[in-house]
Amino acid sequence: MAKLTIPRQELMYSGHAACPGCGPALAMRLLLKGLGPRTVVSVPASCWTVIATPYPTTALGVGMLDNAIEATGASISGLRAAADALGLGDLNVVGFAGDGGTADIGLQSLSGMLERGTDALYVMYDNEAYMNTGVQRSSATPQGAWTTTTPVAGEARGKLEPKKDIMAIVLAHHPVYAATLNPSFPEDFVRKVEKARERKGPRFFHVYAACPPGWRYDSDQTIELGRLATYAGIFPLYEVEMGRLRITRRMGQLKPVEEYLKAQGRFRHFSPEEVQQVQEQARARWDDLLARERAANPPERAAVPGEPASPALPPPVAGEALGRT
Amino acid sequence: MLEIRFHGRGGQGAVVASELLAQAVFFDGKVAQSFPFFGVERRGAPVTAFTRIDDQPIRLRSFIENPDVVVVLDPGLLRDTPVTEGLKPGGLLLVNSPRPPEAFSLPLGGRIATLDATGIALGRKVGTATMPVVNTAVLGALARATGAFTETSLERAIISFVPSHPEENRAAARDGAEAVRTEPVAPSTVAPAPAPPAAPLPFPEGPMASRPSHVLHTSSWRTLRPVIDRDRCTRCNFCWEFCPDDAFDLDAEGYPLVRLSYCKGCGICATECPPDAIQMVTEA
Ligand SMILES: Cc1ncc(C[n+]2csc(CCOP(=O)(O)OP(=O)(O)O)c2C)c(N)n1
Ligand code: SF4
Ligand code: SF4
Ligand code: SF4
Ligand SMILES: [Mg+2]
């Protein structure tokens, strides 16, 4: 048999209540494979509270705290303090919240947890709308996308505003480790989870999480869509460690965004100009990442006699030095 | 007053069916009321909706506990949902099933009607292959089997209110009316067994947090099932890696086995399998 490239252990149980083909369900499954059983997860009101709790059972093979939608960051600061007080320093404390619960309703709580230097991992699974309540727009919904509150009819062309850049907000807090993850790339996904698990201090994941009913596509396309998102530069994969950015999935050439957009009912109304706009944004996003990666890792300058050698990289800005909560 | 209760699964259109039916009744010049049971709506998860029909204003606002008609959009529901609960003696049970009415029973007697609405929806390309939308075919059958509303008004409601593929839906409704077969069933002569005690939970009572969800089965959520051709399988494990329901086991030799108690039929494994060793086939 081919060697497994991700851990075999399953800590997310079957029988859960996610729709067929649910991206967030696969994201949780991969996350727990990487974290292992010494884990407690705080889940706020979202699809995942419903997925995890088909009465009277739980779909998580680890501890779960069902918390209020605005409080994920605060709840994991509290869980960390409690775990440490109980001498459970090795417990992985994880928040697992949707885009609405993170980028909108729980933003202050996330900021507080990052700023306090809480030793915990915050995961935002991004299905780009309030799905559990029936596809309302969030600040993470992409520009132009159809949702029930950003209709497409006549003059109305979906969401007016661009998607909020949650990674930029998080990085402004200088976390120990932050990364973008996509379940369509399971090995990259689990490697980042394992890396985050070994770090102390605040950590953050932005996880691509495709949603068949909310994005209006057939459930068998979940993985293929995720691949297109990354290859087209819509959702590039990278990690930022101690302020240093590294792209983990490099593309010589970006795929056209059109294939990605056309595959989803929420974008089907896009005109060629609107497609072109997304294309340009993808290009700019990718160029920006490449530039930031170069800036973080300057090429060694050839030693010129008489000149000092290239300066050492600056010391890490956050991390072990920070106190726990 | 005629009271109808719909049982379906998220995505099959049970709620829309109850609303289209109400529209058709309005076009007939009568009064109708329709509303869903408020609950978690997941593609595949059980959904209930209600419609009342009358010649005069309807003032009742309760759920329908004793329907005259029960409509079942998915025969899989008969396995684990007490769909006929409260159905009036002499009432009608309409089931989407390729099997004949004789294959089903009604202990209190009444009428049973069946039609293969899934086959009709797939044939008319209403919905998708993974999630055929059977509601319009079932409504056509309901019109024919009850006579409670006219087929003309149903078609008018479909053309006016179904946003995508209205023509295909109208054709499906016509097919449904033609395909339905209704048979009277006598009340069972056997004295009804005393109500069984509430089914025990599939695990001992106790703190709930420790009970894993895999004691619950989700097999009835699917309309398609994956079938693996071992001769083509290269044991790459992609199907196992990508299944959101963890519905695969790997056998000792590393071949994937589908755990059909949990597979929801999303089709990801078939789409992702590099040598096309997985086919999605319609559930019987
Ligand atoms: C303060 C508050 N407002 C609204 C709700 C209702 N609510 C429950 S789940 C949910 C959707 C959350 O969206 P998101 O965080 O993106 O998760 P998703 O459902 O998309 O997985 C909402 C609005 C709530 N529980 N609490
Ligand atoms: S609505 Fe979307 S995110 Fe929620 S359970 Fe269904 S597929 Fe998953
Ligand atoms: S169709 Fe395949 S991927 Fe989808 S739930 Fe079933 S086994 Fe898993
Ligand atoms: S994806 Fe296809 S080839 Fe790979 S293990 Fe599964 S069935 Fe076999
Ligand atoms: Mg969301």
Side-chain angles (χ1 to χ4, degrees):
Chain A
M1 112 156 85
K3 203 168 150 295
L4 297 186
T5 50
I6 57 173
R8 182 152 187 176
Q9 185 175 33
E10 301 290 350
L11 290 163
M12 183 199 77
Y13 300 127
S14 307
H16 62 62
C19 309
C22 173
L26 181 56
M28 177 66 93
R29 181 173 168 236
L30 295 175
L31 177 76
L32 293 183
K33 279 179 181 289
L35 288 173
R38 295 286 291 169
T39 299
V40 60
V41 187
S42 171
V43 182
S46 61
C47 271
W48 245 105
T49 31
V50 175
I51 298 170
T53 55
Y55 180 79
T57 69
T58 171
L60 298 183
V62 299
M64 170 179 159
L65 175 73
D66 184 347
N67 91 81
I69 195 166
E70 52 280 82
T72 306
S75 75
I76 55 180
S77 286
L79 281 174
R80 178 80 270 163
D84 288 351
L86 292 169
L88 303 172
D90 64 331
L91 191 69
N92 299 310
V93 174
V94 180
F96 194 85
D99 49 299
T102 302
D104 295 345
I105 311 181
L107 190 60
Q108 42 73 23
S109 193
L110 166 65
S111 174
M113 165 260 165
L114 293 170
E115 188 268 341
R116 280 188 294 274
T118 294
D119 176 25
L121 169 64
Y122 192 115
V123 181
M124 164 169 136
Y125 71 93
D126 192 0
N127 54 17
E128 305 196 314
Y130 290 81
M131 293 309 181
N132 192 45
T133 40
V135 203
Q136 294 84 18
R137 62 86 89 184
S138 79
S139 60
T141 302
Q143 193 164 26
W146 167 91
T147 67
T148 53
T149 47
T150 55
V152 175
E155 299 279 285
R157 308 281 303 160
K159 190 193 176 200
L160 295 173
E161 305 78 9
K163 183 178 173 79
K164 187 184 277 187
D165 187 350
I166 191 69
M167 281 299 273
I169 295 171
V170 167
L171 289 174
H173 294 75
H174 307 296
V176 176
Y177 184 67
T180 59
L181 292 80
N182 182 338
S184 296
F185 299 87
E187 288 77 21
D188 180 79
F189 193 113
V190 173
R191 189 191 60 77
K192 284 169 176 164
V193 176
E194 288 169 346
K195 199 162 179 175
R197 189 187 63 196
E198 299 312 321
R199 302 284 187 279
K200 288 228 176 300
R203 290 147 281 162
F204 182 83
F205 284 166
H206 181 193
V207 177
Y208 179 89
C211 168
W215 296 5
R216 314 263 137 170
Y217 68 87
D218 279 348
S219 58
D220 67 312
Q221 293 299 309
T222 292
I223 307 303
E224 182 56 20
L225 262 191
R227 250 184 235 120
L228 284 173
T230 291
Y231 289 148
I234 303 260
F235 194 90
L237 292 177
Y238 61 96
E239 60 188 6
V240 182
E241 215 173 338
M242 303 295 194
R244 256 171 248 153
L245 188 145
R246 196 172 79 83
I247 294 169
T248 60
R249 182 66 42 148
R250 202 164 296 282
M251 288 84 67
Q253 185 135 28
L254 295 184
K255 273 202 173 212
V257 297
E258 179 151 16
E259 202 181 330
Y260 179 72
L261 299 174
K262 289 287 170 228
Q264 301 170 62
R266 62 176 177 154
F267 297 127
R268 210 154 280 151
H269 57 284
F270 271 28
S271 65
E273 294 72 41
E274 285 163 318
V275 172
Q276 186 54 29
Q277 197 185 338
V278 177
Q279 185 66 62
E280 279 157 23
Q281 287 164 352
R283 180 81 252 164
R285 189 181 297 118
W286 182 243
D287 287 345
D288 174 59
L289 279 180
L290 289 172
R292 283 160 65 197
E293 187 185 47
R294 271 195 305 276
N297 306 288
E300 292 288 320
R301 272 203 283 154
V304 179
E307 264 191 46
S310 44
L313 289 169
V317 288
E320 263 97 322
L322 283 176
R324 298 259 195 84
T325 307
Chain B
M1 179 159 53
L2 188 77
E3 295 185 303
I4 303 174
R5 192 170 69 205
F6 291 87
H7 294 273
R9 300 190 172 281
Q12 284 179 328
V15 177
V16 174
S18 73
E19 288 167 0
L20 280 175
L21 167 55
Q23 285 300 339
V25 171
F26 289 133
F27 286 145
D28 279 344
K30 294 203 242 172
V31 179
Q33 183 190 59
S34 88
F35 53 100
F37 180 85
F38 183 79
V40 174
E41 227 182 285
R42 290 280 185 268
R43 271 194 197 180
V47 168
T48 310
F50 311 93
T51 304
R52 290 193 171 95
I53 303 177
D54 208 342
D55 296 323
Q56 40 208 312
I58 301 168
R59 311 231 181 266
L60 258 178
R61 288 291 181 273
S62 58
F63 291 143
I64 296 175
E65 312 255 330
N66 296 109
D68 303 282
V69 180
V70 164
V71 180
V72 181
L73 277 71
D74 184 330
L77 286 166
L78 296 168
R79 255 178 289 156
D80 42 30
T81 312
V83 291
T84 54
E85 197 167 76
L87 178 63
K88 286 183 189 143
L92 172 72
L93 170 67
L94 171 63
V95 185
N96 164 21
S97 167
R99 299 163 71 196
E102 294 79 11
F104 301 91
S105 64
L106 267 184
L108 300 180
R111 292 188 304 144
I112 297 181
T114 63
L115 81 156
D116 180 12
T118 306
I120 292 173
L122 289 170
R124 292 289 178 185
K125 295 207 173 8
V126 181
T128 63
T130 29
M131 191 46 90
V133 180
V134 298
N135 58 0
T136 40
V138 168
L139 284 178
L142 185 65
R144 185 69 59 93
T146 61
F149 56 105
T150 61
E151 290 167 33
T152 343
S153 292
L154 172 62
E155 292 185 21
R156 199 174 144 206
I158 290 172
I159 294 300
S160 318
F161 296 104
V162 171
S164 68
H165 306 294
E167 284 303 336
E168 286 83 345
N169 275 287
R170 168 157 63 182
R174 282 192 186 154
D175 291 354
E178 294 306 325
V180 68
R181 267 195 57 211
T182 310
E183 291 295 334
V185 273
S188 165
T189 47
V190 186
L201 293 173
F203 40 74
E205 305 263 344
M208 292 191 295
S210 56
R211 309 301 165 193
S213 59
H214 59 57
V215 299
L216 309 172
H217 290 180
T218 47
S219 55
S220 60
W221 289 40
R222 67 172 177 263
T223 52
L224 298 173
R225 73 157 76 192
V227 175
I228 302 175
D229 177 353
R230 271 172 82 105
D231 293 338
R232 299 182 90 161
C233 172
T234 61
R235 293 181 282 179
C236 69
N237 305 314
F238 283 12
C239 49
W240 169 80
E241 274 193 355
F242 287 127
C243 175
D245 284 275
D246 177 24
F248 281 100
D249 262 343
L250 300 173
D251 72 12
E253 295 170 71
Y255 284 100
L257 304 168
V258 184
R259 303 194 301 151
L260 283 168
S261 303
Y262 305 111
C263 166
K264 292 180 187 153
C266 71
I268 286 178
C269 52
T271 299
E272 293 305 320
C273 172
D276 283 331
I278 304 182
Q279 296 300 317
M280 299 302 292
V281 303
T282 310
E283 279 290 341

